[in-house]
Amino acid sequence: MTELMKAIRVERLGPPDVMQLQNAPVPQPGPGEVRLRVEAVGINFADALAVAGEYLTRTRLPYTPGMEFAGIVDALGEGVRGVQPGQRVAALGGSGALAHYATVNAAGLIPVPQTLSAAQAAAFPVSYFTAYHGLKTLGRGQAGEWVLVQAAAGALGTASVQLAKALGLKVIALASTEEKLEIARRLGADVTLLQDDPGRVQKVREAAGGKGVPLILEVVGGKRFQESLDMAAHRGRIIVIGNASREQAGLRPVELMKRNLTVTGLWLTSLMSDRDATAEAAQVLGQLVASGQVVPQVGPTYALADSARAFQDLLDRKTTGKVIIEPGR
């Protein structure tokens, strides 16, 4: 008799309410795979876009969302070495985590300090690897430089503020409310500004010494993308990580030429295939987490049955830190 579990299934694309809690067979790990008993799932804006059919890759239906999670190793597929049943790990699997059990290729496992809770471990991989690649691998940030962090109280924003400070950068943080700015200040942001402040562009430039910001982590897109160009210093680097506005952004190449600006896209999925860059990021991040200089910021937590509400709250920008769903609740 096939053992069953609870899982979220998406059978048609759309808003979060298309997500349904159903019975599903407990997955069996294939060669090179590991099965985890899922303790916590980190929810990203990309997950919501995938459910809506708006992500960078095609969503193949039916499917179970959840690309980032933490859990206890439950079973090993053929050929898996270096991991033991009972061990807590984080994992990047692309999808499938919103369930009691999930399988993932062993290459997608990420060791985490055992001092982290399951929720903290689930909040770690996507946000912190993305932040590192934005600040260092692609952004080439140097100690003493200014960096602008948008949506600074969100999962990626809190990771970026903490990591930037740990790497010796100076941080200008933008967020939508004073409460969210207080979170950024608590994490070390040097300058905080409301993202809808009418004078935000000039204030950002002045905060960075009047010459603009050398490095900008751009996650909003739409009409705000032009503001990122306006805030950038001569030879500034704008790292495009997201498009939270879900609007099209315009770009006139002549604007890049005039001030020798660089605009670079960042997609973690493709960067993870660069083994050298991934190993470097893992080493640095592992040391910072183990030393306590970087602490994954857990936001609101939800039960598996409340997954649709968790996704909607994320889209409505009601949350701070990493939204976590705990299938075992």
Side-chain angles (χ1 to χ4, degrees):
M1 184 174 180
T2 303
E3 187 178 1
L4 296 178
M5 64 176 184
K6 292 294 185 180
I8 295 295
R9 296 292 283 172
V10 174
E11 297 180 346
R12 62 183 178 88
L13 301 175
D17 62 12
V18 301
M19 301 163 61
Q20 301 295 318
L21 184 64
Q22 299 180 1
N23 288 321
V26 173
Q28 300 302 314
E33 291 185 335
V34 173
R35 184 174 69 198
L36 303 183
R37 175 171 57 82
V38 181
E39 295 181 294
V41 184
I43 302 305
N44 299 281
F45 200 76
D47 292 297
L49 292 179
V51 170
E54 299 176 13
Y55 192 47
L56 293 174
T57 56
R58 178 186 175 190
T59 304
R60 298 183 180 277
L61 300 176
Y63 94 114
T64 293
M67 64 176 62
E68 165 184 45
F69 62 109
I72 302 299
V73 175
D74 177 71
L76 305 180
E78 181 183 350
V80 174
R81 302 287 185 272
V83 62
Q84 300 296 324
Q87 180 181 352
R88 174 178 288 159
V89 294
L92 286 172
S95 64
L98 284 179
H100 287 153
Y101 293 88
T103 57
V104 63
N105 190 291
L109 297 181
I110 299 172
V112 293
Q114 295 305 294
T115 54
L116 294 185
S117 67
Q120 288 175 321
F124 173 66
V126 169
S127 296
Y128 286 85
F129 274 84
T130 299
Y132 183 86
H133 289 312
L135 291 166
K136 293 296 291 185
T137 309
L138 300 179
R140 307 186 309 283
Q142 301 297 317
E145 279 192 313
W146 284 98
V147 57
L148 176 70
V149 177
Q150 299 176 338
L156 177 59
T158 54
S160 299
V161 171
Q162 288 186 86
L163 186 55
K165 294 304 296 180
L167 295 172
L169 283 83
K170 296 180 290 187
V171 176
I172 301 171
L174 297 182
S176 60
T177 68
E178 285 293 346
E179 292 76 15
K180 291 182 177 181
L181 289 181
E182 179 55 35
I183 292 173
R185 285 191 286 269
R186 176 171 55 81
L187 294 175
D190 299 279
V191 176
T192 58
L193 292 167
L194 290 170
Q195 65 185 30
D196 291 328
D197 185 317
R200 56 190 175 273
V201 172
Q202 188 58 34
K203 288 180 179 180
V204 166
R205 293 186 62 85
E206 290 173 356
K211 298 180 180 180
V213 186
L215 178 59
I216 296 175
L217 303 185
E218 162 62 53
V219 301
V220 179
K223 61 179 179 293
R224 295 295 177 105
F225 178 73
Q226 179 61 51
E227 291 186 4
S228 290
L229 296 179
D230 294 340
M231 294 172 182
H234 177 73
R235 297 179 67 178
R237 293 96 66 200
I238 298 99
I239 310 300
V240 179
I241 305 175
N243 183 33
S245 68
R246 301 167 85 171
E247 300 171 352
Q248 290 294 321
L251 173 63
R252 295 186 302 150
V254 68
E255 291 190 67
L256 307 185
M257 296 166 59
K258 286 180 178 178
R259 288 185 289 138
N260 299 289
L261 301 178
T262 301
V263 177
T264 304
L266 191 168
W267 187 32
L268 183 62
T269 299
S270 58
L271 263 177
M272 292 298 285
S273 64
D274 184 331
R275 294 187 178 182
D276 290 340
T278 298
E280 176 185 302
Q283 180 181 20
V284 174
L285 290 171
Q287 292 172 348
L288 292 174
V289 172
S291 69
Q293 289 179 266
V294 165
V295 180
Q297 299 296 296
V298 175
T301 61
Y302 301 78
L304 189 63
D306 296 324
S307 295
R309 180 164 63 89
F311 275 52
Q312 193 61 58
D313 286 350
L314 177 66
L315 289 173
D316 291 341
R317 295 167 176 77
K318 295 180 178 179
T319 63
T320 60
K322 177 73 76 170
V323 173
I324 298 292
I325 293 176
E326 299 173 324
R329 283 173 57 177

